[in-house]
Amino acid sequence: MKKDIHKDNDSVQKMDNPKESPKLTALVLAAGQGTRMKSPLPKVLHPVAGRPMIDRVLRAVKQAGAGEIRLVVGHGQALVRAVVGSLGVICFEQKEQQGTAHAVRAGQIETIEGNVLILNGDHPLLEGRDLQEFVKIFHDEKLDLALVTATVKNPGELGRVVRHRGDLKAIVEVKDASADTLKIHEVNTGIYLIKAEVLKELLPKIKNHNLKKEYYLTDLLSLALEEGYKVQALTGKPHVAVGVNTQAELARATRFIFAKKIKELMDEGVMVLDPKCTYVEDSVTVGAGSVIYPQSFLRGNTKIGSYSVIEPHVFISECTIGDSVQIRAGSYLEKSKVHNKCVVGPYARLRPESEISEEVQIGNFVELKNAKLGKKSKAAHLAYIGDAEVGEDCNIGCGTIFVNYLPNKEKHRTKVGNRVFVGSDVQMIAPLEIGDDAVLGAGSVITKDVPARALAVTRAKQVIKEDYRPRETEEATDTSESPK
Ligand code: UD1
Ligand code: MG
């Protein structure tokens, strides 16, 4: 077994868990190749509404009160370990992927005491409260093995739960199922709660006598029944059964989470014009009275205040947006702060570390990068404002460029005071400081600091050359003459 990059398998850290007694250890299976995904990315790392599938499963397991979480990794494990690094799990390597029971063996169950919660890493819709409920029934009913099943409309590839006169008999995988068994709608969700000592006894008895020649964890059920253990099927809601094995299933799970989030937002008073075409990750918050138009995508740790309007085709990631803000169509905002009553766009871009104070207006084709604009300042059209600090009430004219990137590849900052008027098509070569109330004449290239209240103009004087071009009539009669 390889050493975990974050923790040593031999020195498994015990986390305090006063509520659960006996101790609950979770074993999450995530070593499979995910062949059906047809993707180079390990299956459990595929994002579902912005977060890796495995991250969702592990957070649910934590909420369920597992004192220790063991993750079985194999295929693409270097990447998986890196992603789960901060989540406080202990990784165990399954060298060859020979089935779900084989994966459980890789989790070194001989070192587990108490109860074990086993589940698949490919069920991203699972929530902490689903698991909490199963754990509670398992304890209350003093079960030896609990199997979580669900009754679903389209059972697809999920293992079927076979009963005889209502009593549990076995789980049959689709590949091994008869036509009659395939008609069953009660399916195995892949979630099991089992006493550690029962697992230790039954696991070695699982054989690979099936079409795939794999060690199926599903065989636990029939083995436990044979041995006369107290076994019960717990009924989960249909979303618990949503496993992701293909790209189509991934898209379905993603849609489910977006739809759930949109419903929550609408229940809290957010107006969503077309819920099916609006994408808001579950980590985002939006205040009541705000409106979200279709095809907008709100990501990560984004917070939007009240009475704000997000117009169509807007992308916002990791931003804080205040109240009564208008983000107009086609704008793209990342890691930035937009204070109350600002207007951004249409077609504006706020790159990371930008901050615009109250009532700022950023118009079409204006890009900000690591730039701050003071209260009521305006950049209404076609400008690049990079590495800058602009004061209050300034006007940044059309076509202005804050030239921050020099041939030595260094970036420099520009500081602009309050009430500065920057005419159209001005270039400010950083590092530079422009004093309060200064005026920069249109078309100027500013290379030196400008004092307060001064006018700076650098354009060449206009020259008039009379009769520079021949009149049309002269041109027609004599074409040999060159321009004067
Ligand atoms: C499994 C169940 C099926 C159930 C379904 C629920 C078995 C045999 N079948 O099928 O009854 O309805 O889950 O989604 O258990 N894994 C390993 N090592 C392996 C094989 C798999 O770690 O050698 C992991 C995978 O990464 C995955 C999980 O186990 O996270 C389940 O494996 P998968 O191949 O997706 O099983 P299913 O066919 O979905
Ligand atoms: Mg699966």
Side-chain angles (χ1 to χ4, degrees), residues 12-27:
V12 166
Q13 278 197 2
K14 311 267 188 276
M15 291 173 241
D16 284 341
N17 186 21
K19 277 187 219 151
E20 300 298 335
S21 177
K23 187 186 164 203
L24 180 69
T25 301
L27 200 58

Side-chain angles (χ1 to χ4, degrees), residues 29 31-32 36 43 94 98-100 120-123 159 173 188 245:
L29 312 184
R36 289 165 279 176
K43 174 165 78 173
Q94 183 193 20
Q98 294 179 29
T100 42
N120 296 344
D122 61 357
H123 279 240
E173 292 305 291
N188 172 28
N245 298 304

Side-chain angles (χ1 to χ4, degrees), residues 271-341:
M271 205 190 295
V272 179
L273 273 71
D274 188 348
K276 278 197 176 147
C277 299
T278 306
Y279 310 94
V280 181
E281 290 180 2
D282 39 12
S283 41
V284 173
T285 60
V286 185
S290 284
V291 183
I292 311 176
Y293 280 73
Q295 302 299 350
S296 291
F297 210 115
L298 312 183
R299 297 208 54 196
N301 188 25
T302 290
K303 291 182 175 54
I304 296 176
S306 297
Y307 310 110
S308 288
V309 178
I310 311 296
E311 287 190 7
H313 294 279
V314 163
F315 179 94
I316 304 179
S317 179
E318 309 285 343
C319 288
T320 304
I321 312 273
D323 299 333
S324 304
V325 168
Q326 277 187 56
I327 309 291
R328 291 190 173 152
S331 296
Y332 193 103
L333 288 75
E334 299 164 273
K335 293 192 179 128
S336 291
K337 277 192 188 149
V338 176
H339 290 268
N340 298 347
K341 297 184 191 166

Side-chain angles (χ1 to χ4, degrees), residues 449-466:
D449 290 351
V450 179
R453 299 189 318 280
L455 164 70
V457 198
T458 67
R459 55 183 186 241
K461 278 202 172 138
Q462 188 166 322
V463 176
I464 301 285
K465 294 196 177 182
E466 301 278 358

